[in-house]
């Protein structure tokens, strides 16, 4: 299925579901001890992933986001699609460029290794295809920074353009304090005069809004903009959320996570906003964001939560894997 503004505008929800928290036993989000199965066996995480996918689909979510490095996220997603033949109207995105190295351990020394070479692309595309087959609508380079060779590697660009010619939309996700530079560099990449990247996934939330202007440019350039980490890995949800967010939630008779995501949904360039829910209840709570209205005064009060990008990413890099 094509992955463009017409396709995403036709979806029943601007909220998508990301599988980073449920595709593997270890990740950096804050409340995993509280929210995940005590025994994080493959079977337990598969069951949890399918529970969250069922809750998402039942409530209108139609974009599903996986990655090679999210453990067995693609496998769990493929099994879920296989076992629910009635599900024919979802858009599926995945990512290459990070290799999962944790061996299904939450306490691994190294959980993932980044490499954006053509060799890794060839290997991981074959792995994603073997699991998702023709259901792969969007394939993203995982966590591009301005230093990434993927931004200048013309041999890689030629491979990506060939995949695009097969009907898969080419995208990238960005990370780090210089996301805006990586986004603008990607928008300038062309193959045979045609822009190569047609989707950008970036971190944007009340604590880290620095990529906003570049994302607006990407949207205006025709790219589908996907927002990730809308809840700052749990720092803007539940008990960890700052007081001003709880005040806004109380005023709107809702929850902090819903207000955090609503603040992102208020951005006209945000085509899709990902929920990273670890439970079906979190997903349902996150979806309330679509009915939360925030006036200019409230948005301005919330915008005061913004941190310097360097401080935000330094803090994120120190979040423990659990
Ligand atoms: N580089 C990349 O491309 C990249 C990087 C990161 C994420 N992503 C994508 O973006 C998606 C979302 O990002 P994310 O999961 O990293 O971060 P996030 O959406 O900012 O945070 C999600 C976490 O917030 C907590 N939470 C959510 N709702 C809650 C509620 N109602 N009450 C209490 N806690 C709640 C949960 O963590 P706990 O239950 O653990 O508290 C949940 O796992 C991922 O699944 C992935 O698809 C991509």
């Amino acid at each position: 299925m094509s992955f463009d503004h017409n396709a995403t505008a036709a979806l029943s929800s601007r909220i998508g579901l990301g599988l980073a928290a449920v595709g593997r036993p270890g990740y950096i989000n804050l409340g995993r001890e509280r929210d995940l199965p005590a025994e994080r066996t493959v079977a337990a995480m598969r069951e949890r992933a399918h529970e969250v996918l069922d809750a998402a689909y039942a409530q209108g979510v139609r974009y599903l986001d996986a990655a090679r490095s999210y453990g067995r996220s693609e496998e769990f997603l493929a099994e879920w699609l296989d076992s629910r033949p009635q599900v024919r109207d979802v858009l599926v995105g995945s990512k290459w460029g990070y290799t999962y190295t944790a061996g299904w351990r939450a306490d691994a020394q190294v959980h993932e290794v980044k490499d954006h070479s053509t060799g890794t692309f060839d290997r991981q595309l074959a792995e994603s295809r073997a699991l998702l087959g023709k259901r792969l609508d969007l394939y993203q380079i995982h966590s591009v920074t301005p230093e990434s060779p993927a931004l200048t590697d013309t041999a890689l660009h030629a491979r990506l353009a060939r995949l695009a010619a097969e009907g898969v939309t080419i995208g990238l996700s960005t990370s780090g304090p210089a996301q805006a530079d990586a986004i603008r560099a990607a928008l300038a990449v062309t193959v045979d005069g045609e822009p190569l990247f047609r989707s950008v996934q970036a971190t944007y939330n009340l604590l880290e809004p620095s990529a906003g202007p570049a994302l607006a440019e990407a949207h205006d350039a025709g790219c589908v903009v996907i927002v990730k980490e809308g809840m700052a890995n749990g720092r803007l949800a539940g008990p960890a959320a700052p007081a001003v967010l709880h005040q806004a939630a109380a005023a709107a008779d809702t929850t902090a996570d819903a207000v955090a995501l609503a603040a992102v949904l208020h951005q006209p360039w945000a085509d899709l906003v990902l929920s990273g829910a670890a439970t079906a209840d979190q997903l349902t709570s996150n979806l309330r964001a679509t009915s939360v209205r925030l006036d200019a005064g409230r948005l301005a009060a919330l915008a005061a939560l913004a941190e310097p990008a360097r401080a935000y990413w330094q803090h994120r890099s120190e979040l423990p894997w659990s």
Side-chain angles (χ1 to χ4, degrees):
M1 275 204 278
S2 63
F3 193 89
D4 56 21
H5 283 150
N6 295 333
T8 54
L11 296 178
S12 47
S13 178
R14 283 174 66 204
I15 302 270
L17 175 65
L19 300 173
V22 293
R24 55 189 157 178
Y27 188 43
I28 61 169
N29 289 350
L30 295 184
R32 296 176 65 75
E33 301 302 331
R34 178 193 62 217
D35 300 321
L36 286 174
E39 293 295 313
R40 299 183 194 169
T41 60
V42 171
M45 295 304 289
R46 175 187 287 111
E47 187 184 338
R48 174 59 62 87
H50 289 185
E51 275 172 22
V52 178
L53 283 161
D54 280 337
Y57 189 77
Q59 296 175 82
V61 172
R62 294 294 182 268
Y63 174 65
L64 308 172
D65 193 75
R68 291 298 312 139
S69 67
Y70 301 163
R72 297 190 181 209
S73 64
E74 291 180 327
E75 177 190 330
F76 292 167
L77 177 53
E79 290 163 346
W80 181 78
L81 291 167
D82 290 341
S83 60
R84 286 143 180 86
Q86 74 279 13
V87 174
R88 297 182 170 293
D89 54 347
V90 294
L91 291 171
V92 170
S94 194
K95 308 182 198 78
W96 69 275
Y98 258 124
T99 298
Y100 182 67
T101 58
W104 206 255
R105 297 182 60 89
D107 62 356
Q109 285 302 309
V110 180
H111 288 258
E112 52 192 17
V113 172
K114 188 193 286 191
D115 176 78
H116 289 163
S117 68
T118 51
T120 295
F121 171 72
D122 295 342
R123 170 173 56 81
Q124 293 199 312
L125 176 60
E127 293 165 348
S128 296
R129 279 283 201 214
L131 290 164
L132 294 168
K134 287 274 176 241
R135 293 171 291 195
L136 184 63
D137 299 303
L138 170 68
Y139 210 39
Q140 306 156 96
I141 312 176
H142 205 157
S143 287
V144 172
T145 62
E147 301 75 32
S148 171
L151 292 170
T152 53
D153 182 341
T154 53
L156 174 66
H157 297 164
R159 279 173 165 78
L160 293 171
R162 276 201 295 279
L163 181 59
E166 294 170 21
V168 177
T169 298
I170 301 303
L172 76 157
S173 77
T174 59
S175 286
Q179 291 188 101
D181 299 341
I183 293 165
R184 292 186 173 115
L187 292 178
V189 174
T190 61
V191 175
D192 300 334
E194 287 299 313
L196 176 62
F197 297 107
R198 307 312 296 152
S199 179
V200 177
Q201 178 174 150
T203 294
Y204 178 91
N205 59 53
L206 290 170
L207 302 178
E208 179 18 352
S210 67
L215 292 172
E217 291 163 28
H219 178 87
D220 294 347
C223 283
V224 170
V225 172
I226 306 171
V227 171
K228 59 176 170 112
E229 298 185 309
M231 281 171 288
N233 308 111
R235 296 174 61 195
L236 296 171
V244 67
L245 198 49
H246 281 296
Q247 285 153 14
D253 187 25
T254 187
T255 53
D257 57 295
V259 172
L261 290 181
V264 181
L265 287 167
H266 275 62
Q267 299 299 340
W269 43 260
D271 299 297
L272 290 167
V273 178
L274 296 177
S275 162
T279 69
D281 287 349
Q282 285 181 359
L283 185 269
T284 301
S285 176
N286 295 170
L287 286 169
R288 291 197 195 98
T290 56
S291 57
V292 174
R293 295 289 163 270
L294 301 168
D295 62 28
R298 184 68 70 182
L299 284 169
L302 293 169
L305 289 170
E307 302 173 343
R310 269 192 190 288
Y312 174 90
W313 289 94
Q314 180 60 37
H315 180 103
R316 184 184 184 280
S317 69
E318 292 159 3
L319 292 176
W321 287 75
S322 68

mmCIF file of all heavy atoms in Angstrom, residues 31-51:
data_model
loop_
_atom_site.group_PDB
_atom_site.id
_atom_site.type_symbol
_atom_site.label_atom_id
_atom_site.label_comp_id
_atom_site.label_asym_id
_atom_site.label_seq_id
_atom_site.Cartn_x
_atom_site.Cartn_y
_atom_site.Cartn_z
ATOM 1 N N GLY A 31 8.786 2.577 33.354
ATOM 2 C CA GLY A 31 8.043 1.732 34.304
ATOM 3 C C GLY A 31 7.957 0.275 33.909
ATOM 4 O O GLY A 31 6.959 -0.388 34.224
ATOM 5 N N ARG A 32 8.954 -0.251 33.254
ATOM 6 C CA ARG A 32 8.857 -1.625 32.747
ATOM 7 C C ARG A 32 8.689 -2.639 33.865
ATOM 8 O O ARG A 32 7.956 -3.622 33.703
ATOM 9 C CB ARG A 32 10.059 -1.945 31.858
ATOM 10 C CG ARG A 32 10.097 -1.074 30.592
ATOM 11 C CD ARG A 32 11.317 -1.306 29.744
ATOM 12 N NE ARG A 32 11.407 -2.630 29.158
ATOM 13 C CZ ARG A 32 10.668 -3.041 28.113
ATOM 14 N NH1 ARG A 32 9.776 -2.223 27.602
ATOM 15 N NH2 ARG A 32 10.807 -4.247 27.610
ATOM 16 N N GLU A 33 9.315 -2.431 34.995
ATOM 17 C CA GLU A 33 9.166 -3.388 36.101
ATOM 18 C C GLU A 33 7.682 -3.476 36.479
ATOM 19 O O GLU A 33 7.149 -4.547 36.747
ATOM 20 C CB GLU A 33 9.974 -2.922 37.320
ATOM 21 C CG GLU A 33 11.482 -2.759 37.064
ATOM 22 C CD GLU A 33 12.140 -4.052 36.566
ATOM 23 O OE1 GLU A 33 11.645 -5.130 36.930
ATOM 24 O OE2 GLU A 33 13.078 -3.948 35.739
ATOM 25 N N ARG A 34 7.017 -2.311 36.424
ATOM 26 C CA ARG A 34 5.599 -2.219 36.844
ATOM 27 C C ARG A 34 4.665 -2.773 35.761
ATOM 28 O O ARG A 34 3.667 -3.431 36.053
ATOM 29 C CB ARG A 34 5.283 -0.731 37.086
ATOM 30 C CG ARG A 34 3.883 -0.372 37.484
ATOM 31 C CD ARG A 34 3.659 1.149 37.371
ATOM 32 N NE ARG A 34 3.831 1.634 36.005
ATOM 33 C CZ ARG A 34 4.392 2.814 35.683
ATOM 34 N NH1 ARG A 34 4.886 3.594 36.642
ATOM 35 N NH2 ARG A 34 4.512 3.192 34.423
ATOM 36 N N ASP A 35 5.002 -2.568 34.521
ATOM 37 C CA ASP A 35 4.018 -2.763 33.452
ATOM 38 C C ASP A 35 4.189 -4.016 32.606
ATOM 39 O O ASP A 35 3.299 -4.342 31.815
ATOM 40 C CB ASP A 35 4.040 -1.537 32.527
ATOM 41 C CG ASP A 35 3.691 -0.258 33.281
ATOM 42 O OD1 ASP A 35 2.800 -0.335 34.147
ATOM 43 O OD2 ASP A 35 4.344 0.776 33.061
ATOM 44 N N LEU A 36 5.328 -4.705 32.722
ATOM 45 C CA LEU A 36 5.549 -5.866 31.862
ATOM 46 C C LEU A 36 5.419 -7.167 32.653
ATOM 47 O O LEU A 36 5.503 -7.152 33.872
ATOM 48 C CB LEU A 36 6.926 -5.773 31.198
ATOM 49 C CG LEU A 36 7.012 -4.742 30.072
ATOM 50 C CD1 LEU A 36 8.439 -4.607 29.576
ATOM 51 C CD2 LEU A 36 6.116 -5.113 28.910
ATOM 52 N N PRO A 37 5.205 -8.297 31.947
ATOM 53 C CA PRO A 37 5.098 -9.587 32.629
ATOM 54 C C PRO A 37 6.348 -9.859 33.479
ATOM 55 O O PRO A 37 7.450 -9.470 33.093
ATOM 56 C CB PRO A 37 5.006 -10.606 31.483
ATOM 57 C CG PRO A 37 4.582 -9.830 30.284
ATOM 58 C CD PRO A 37 5.099 -8.432 30.473
ATOM 59 N N ALA A 38 6.163 -10.488 34.630
ATOM 60 C CA ALA A 38 7.309 -10.792 35.507
ATOM 61 C C ALA A 38 8.330 -11.621 34.736
ATOM 62 O O ALA A 38 9.514 -11.281 34.674
ATOM 63 C CB ALA A 38 6.804 -11.550 36.736
ATOM 64 N N GLU A 39 7.853 -12.680 34.073
ATOM 65 C CA GLU A 39 8.720 -13.537 33.258
ATOM 66 C C GLU A 39 8.634 -13.033 31.815
ATOM 67 O O GLU A 39 7.586 -13.152 31.184
ATOM 68 C CB GLU A 39 8.232 -14.995 33.317
ATOM 69 C CG GLU A 39 8.376 -15.649 34.670
ATOM 70 C CD GLU A 39 9.878 -15.777 35.034
ATOM 71 O OE1 GLU A 39 10.645 -16.229 34.176
ATOM 72 O OE2 GLU A 39 10.239 -15.309 36.132
ATOM 73 N N ARG A 40 9.679 -12.475 31.293
ATOM 74 C CA ARG A 40 9.608 -11.911 29.937
ATOM 75 C C ARG A 40 10.086 -12.934 28.913
ATOM 76 O O ARG A 40 10.986 -12.687 28.110
ATOM 77 C CB ARG A 40 10.408 -10.625 29.859
ATOM 78 C CG ARG A 40 9.849 -9.569 30.824
ATOM 79 C CD ARG A 40 10.563 -8.268 30.726
ATOM 80 N NE ARG A 40 10.239 -7.405 31.852
ATOM 81 C CZ ARG A 40 10.887 -6.281 32.119
ATOM 82 N NH1 ARG A 40 11.878 -5.898 31.326
ATOM 83 N NH2 ARG A 40 10.578 -5.563 33.156
ATOM 84 N N THR A 41 9.402 -14.078 28.950
ATOM 85 C CA THR A 41 9.736 -15.111 27.978
ATOM 86 C C THR A 41 9.261 -14.667 26.599
ATOM 87 O O THR A 41 8.453 -13.734 26.485
ATOM 88 C CB THR A 41 8.991 -16.410 28.351
ATOM 89 O OG1 THR A 41 7.570 -16.118 28.326
ATOM 90 C CG2 THR A 41 9.383 -16.900 29.749
ATOM 91 N N VAL A 42 9.709 -15.346 25.561
ATOM 92 C CA VAL A 42 9.246 -15.043 24.202
ATOM 93 C C VAL A 42 7.722 -15.183 24.134
ATOM 94 O O VAL A 42 7.023 -14.307 23.619
ATOM 95 C CB VAL A 42 9.929 -15.964 23.170
ATOM 96 C CG1 VAL A 42 9.287 -15.798 21.791
ATOM 97 C CG2 VAL A 42 11.434 -15.691 23.109
ATOM 98 N N ALA A 43 7.204 -16.248 24.741
ATOM 99 C CA ALA A 43 5.745 -16.481 24.718
ATOM 100 C C ALA A 43 4.996 -15.357 25.438
ATOM 101 O O ALA A 43 3.985 -14.846 24.938
ATOM 102 C CB ALA A 43 5.428 -17.826 25.365
ATOM 103 N N ALA A 44 5.520 -14.923 26.582
ATOM 104 C CA ALA A 44 4.841 -13.866 27.359
ATOM 105 C C ALA A 44 4.855 -12.541 26.607
ATOM 106 O O ALA A 44 3.845 -11.823 26.558
ATOM 107 C CB ALA A 44 5.532 -13.709 28.710
ATOM 108 N N MET A 45 5.986 -12.221 25.962
ATOM 109 C CA MET A 45 6.059 -10.951 25.226
ATOM 110 C C MET A 45 5.237 -11.022 23.935
ATOM 111 O O MET A 45 4.634 -10.021 23.530
ATOM 112 C CB MET A 45 7.523 -10.598 24.943
ATOM 113 C CG MET A 45 8.361 -10.320 26.183
ATOM 114 S SD MET A 45 7.709 -9.015 27.255
ATOM 115 C CE MET A 45 8.006 -7.571 26.262
ATOM 116 N N ARG A 46 5.169 -12.186 23.318
ATOM 117 C CA ARG A 46 4.322 -12.351 22.127
ATOM 118 C C ARG A 46 2.859 -12.104 22.498
ATOM 119 O O ARG A 46 2.151 -11.340 21.829
ATOM 120 C CB ARG A 46 4.474 -13.740 21.525
ATOM 121 C CG ARG A 46 3.519 -14.028 20.352
ATOM 122 C CD ARG A 46 3.574 -15.477 19.884
ATOM 123 N NE ARG A 46 4.818 -15.730 19.168
ATOM 124 C CZ ARG A 46 5.797 -16.513 19.654
ATOM 125 N NH1 ARG A 46 5.661 -17.094 20.842
ATOM 126 N NH2 ARG A 46 6.897 -16.716 18.941
ATOM 127 N N GLU A 47 2.465 -12.704 23.597
ATOM 128 C CA GLU A 47 1.080 -12.550 24.061
ATOM 129 C C GLU A 47 0.787 -11.073 24.363
ATOM 130 O O GLU A 47 -0.240 -10.533 23.923
ATOM 131 C CB GLU A 47 0.846 -13.405 25.307
ATOM 132 C CG GLU A 47 -0.598 -13.464 25.774
ATOM 133 C CD GLU A 47 -0.720 -14.274 27.087
ATOM 134 O OE1 GLU A 47 0.205 -15.094 27.362
ATOM 135 O OE2 GLU A 47 -1.698 -14.029 27.836
ATOM 136 N N ARG A 48 1.726 -10.407 25.019
ATOM 137 C CA ARG A 48 1.531 -9.000 25.346
ATOM 138 C C ARG A 48 1.456 -8.148 24.063
ATOM 139 O O ARG A 48 0.605 -7.271 23.923
ATOM 140 C CB ARG A 48 2.649 -8.476 26.232
ATOM 141 C CG ARG A 48 2.610 -6.971 26.504
ATOM 142 C CD ARG A 48 1.336 -6.504 27.173
ATOM 143 N NE ARG A 48 1.164 -7.097 28.467
ATOM 144 C CZ ARG A 48 1.677 -6.591 29.606
ATOM 145 N NH1 ARG A 48 2.395 -5.504 29.576
ATOM 146 N NH2 ARG A 48 1.480 -7.193 30.753
ATOM 147 N N ALA A 49 2.354 -8.409 23.142
ATOM 148 C CA ALA A 49 2.353 -7.649 21.879
ATOM 149 C C ALA A 49 1.021 -7.828 21.157
ATOM 150 O O ALA A 49 0.421 -6.853 20.682
ATOM 151 C CB ALA A 49 3.512 -8.119 20.998
ATOM 152 N N HIS A 50 0.513 -9.057 21.134
ATOM 153 C CA HIS A 50 -0.758 -9.316 20.447
ATOM 154 C C HIS A 50 -1.931 -8.666 21.174
ATOM 155 O O HIS A 50 -2.873 -8.162 20.546
ATOM 156 C CB HIS A 50 -0.956 -10.826 20.268
ATOM 157 C CG HIS A 50 -0.007 -11.405 19.253
ATOM 158 N ND1 HIS A 50 -0.047 -12.719 18.847
ATOM 159 C CD2 HIS A 50 1.026 -10.841 18.562
ATOM 160 C CE1 HIS A 50 0.898 -12.943 17.954
ATOM 161 N NE2 HIS A 50 1.576 -11.824 17.760
ATOM 162 N N GLU A 51 -1.863 -8.608 22.492
ATOM 163 C CA GLU A 51 -2.916 -7.931 23.272
ATOM 164 C C GLU A 51 -2.963 -6.444 22.905
ATOM 165 O O GLU A 51 -4.028 -5.879 22.636
ATOM 166 C CB GLU A 51 -2.609 -8.020 24.777
ATOM 167 C CG GLU A 51 -3.060 -9.253 25.505
ATOM 168 C CD GLU A 51 -2.497 -9.274 26.945
ATOM 169 O OE1 GLU A 51 -2.142 -8.174 27.461
ATOM 170 O OE2 GLU A 51 -2.358 -10.379 27.499
#
